[in-house]
Amino acid sequence: MHPALRKHFEELVKLTDAEYEHIAPCYHLKKFKKHSILLQPGDVVNHEYFVLKGLLKTFTIDDSGKEHILQFSMENWWVSDYMALHTNGKSSFIIQCLEDVELLYISFDDRQRLCDELHQFERFCRLKITSGFVSMQKRVMALMKNDAQSRYQQLLEQYPSLFQRVPKAMIAAYLGVSRETLSRLHV
Amino acid sequence: MHPALRKHFEELVKLTDAEYEHIAPCYHLKKFKKHSILLQPGDVVNHEYFVLKGLLKTFTIDDSGKEHILQFSMENWWVSDYMALHTNGKSSFIIQCLEDVELLYISFDDRQRLCDELHQFERFCRLKITSGFVSMQKRVMALMKNDAQSRYQQLLEQYPSLFQRVPKAMIAAYLGVSRETLSRLHV
């Protein structure tokens, strides 16, 4: 088992060494160069990815060509198109590497099998997705309630390192504001 | 076990009659009159609620007195302040009954215990929260990407009955648009 992944599990659940040995072969290492596309609209989604190194963005492009960023994913984050993954459907997002990236990926079938076989593995999945749910709720409330300035401030406080790693235009596409609005903020 | 709740579980997981008998006493019936408040900011959150009958809204009020609705919850929906529930924290939302409401509630401790004791119960919780996560992702994308008209249309297609049950002002507070904008839409 990759030590970063094992550490990540150990933060939430108790698994024995034998169980880690059982889980380990389901995760496979893959490296991607900066700008590589992991998923694009229409792709069948059957993997979940754990980021060991690097940064990715999950986004869509609307009819007018404007980019909308759902998520940035950095070290120790999970990424996939979860709607497609759980409905056996096709991706509606683009997932792209913003840096050279190292990932561990697991197939949906292996993930389901591990959920069946190991109660603690299912617990881990439940707790992770619960955190994701709560984050998305916060994001919905921030989009409705907060102006661009406070959304920017909130993101800066939560993920200061992100601002060193991605250009301003992408921060704007994540916050749901125009580049012009962003450049007018007191940042 | 209340038949509506049992049916709800049966849609996602396989539990034996004995297991349903084990789960049943953890859920308690409670009735609320229209306008009752289930939770308010600062309340300790230690219950999750399953709606048998009626409609509720989860919302906050900002400093300017404006209401922002995170969620409507109707029959067969779960409702709580999940961030507070999972961090043993205090509510940052108000949950209010928009109609006379009948609920089944479970304490956080009983829910945790059932997750420990019954793998299938934990599976159920994982699948439910996964659906919630995907819905919230869709909502984030809609708030960033779609104009008020398409967000209205999307809500109308997804929950037509909601439009019979709540006033326009609340639909506006859910969609993140002003009442004036909503009244200008072709609806």
Side-chain angles (χ1 to χ4, degrees), chain A residues 49-185:
Chain A
Y49 306 88
F50 177 72
V51 186
L52 289 173
K53 205 180 144 201
L55 181 70
L56 303 97
K57 68 171 173 177
T58 302
F59 67 108
T60 60
I61 297 171
D62 69 19
D63 294 342
S64 71
K66 204 175 152 198
E67 196 173 305
H68 304 275
I69 299 179
L70 174 68
Q71 196 186 291
F72 294 107
S73 313
M74 52 182 99
E75 291 78 9
N76 294 322
W77 284 47
W78 296 88
V79 60
S80 187
D81 177 337
Y82 285 91
M83 180 169 61
L85 188 68
H86 284 275
T87 56
N88 207 9
K90 293 185 176 173
S91 180
S92 46
F93 292 106
I94 306 164
I95 303 182
Q96 186 177 23
C97 303
L98 299 178
E99 302 173 353
D100 289 350
V101 161
E102 283 182 38
L103 295 168
L104 291 171
Y105 66 94
I106 182 170
S107 75
F108 182 71
D109 289 346
D110 277 347
R111 190 173 181 271
Q112 284 296 102
R113 187 171 51 75
L114 290 176
C115 277
D116 287 339
E117 291 169 350
L118 297 170
H119 187 159
Q120 287 293 305
F121 184 88
E122 181 135 37
R123 157 97 25 118
F124 178 83
C125 293
R126 175 174 74 84
L127 295 177
K128 274 289 151 196
I129 201 80
T130 301
S131 305
F133 174 72
V134 167
S135 298
M136 282 294 153
Q137 277 197 339
K138 280 192 203 168
R139 187 101 178 274
V140 166
M141 290 314 289
L143 280 166
M144 293 210 295
K145 201 173 157 179
N146 301 342
D147 58 17
Q149 177 77 50
S150 10
R151 296 212 296 278
Y152 183 91
Q153 214 57 43
Q154 201 178 359
L155 187 67
L156 184 61
E157 280 161 27
Q158 216 175 349
Y159 305 110
S161 68
L162 196 63
F163 290 73
Q164 319 304 323
R165 294 170 79 171
V166 307
K168 279 269 173 73
M170 281 188 203
I171 300 283
Y174 176 88
L175 294 175
V177 301
S178 66
R179 286 173 73 162
E180 294 68 34
T181 306
L182 192 71
S183 66
R184 277 196 302 271
L185 297 181

Side-chain angles (χ1 to χ4, degrees), chain B residues 37 39-44 59-61 90-95:
Chain B
I37 304 277
L39 266 187
Q40 51 190 325
D43 283 357
V44 173
F59 67 108
T60 59
I61 297 172
K90 294 186 173 172
S91 180
S92 45
F93 293 105
I94 306 164
I95 303 182

Side-chain angles (χ1 to χ4, degrees), chain B residues 63-126:
Chain B
D63 295 340
S64 71
K66 203 176 152 197
E67 195 174 303
H68 304 276
I69 299 180
L70 175 68
Q71 196 185 292
F72 293 107
S73 312
M74 52 181 98
E75 290 78 10
N76 294 323
W77 284 47
W78 296 89
V79 62
S80 188
D81 177 337
Y82 285 92
M83 182 169 58
L85 189 67
H86 284 276
T87 56
N88 206 10
K90 294 186 173 172
S91 180
S92 45
F93 293 105
I94 306 164
I95 303 182
Q96 186 176 24
C97 302
L98 300 177
E99 302 173 353
D100 287 351
V101 160
E102 284 181 36
L103 295 168
L104 293 171
Y105 67 93
I106 182 170
S107 73
F108 182 71
D109 289 347
D110 277 347
R111 190 173 181 269
Q112 284 296 102
R113 187 173 50 78
L114 289 176
C115 276
D116 287 340
E117 291 169 350
L118 297 170
H119 186 160
Q120 288 293 304
F121 184 88
E122 181 135 36
R123 158 98 24 122
F124 177 83
C125 293
R126 175 175 74 85

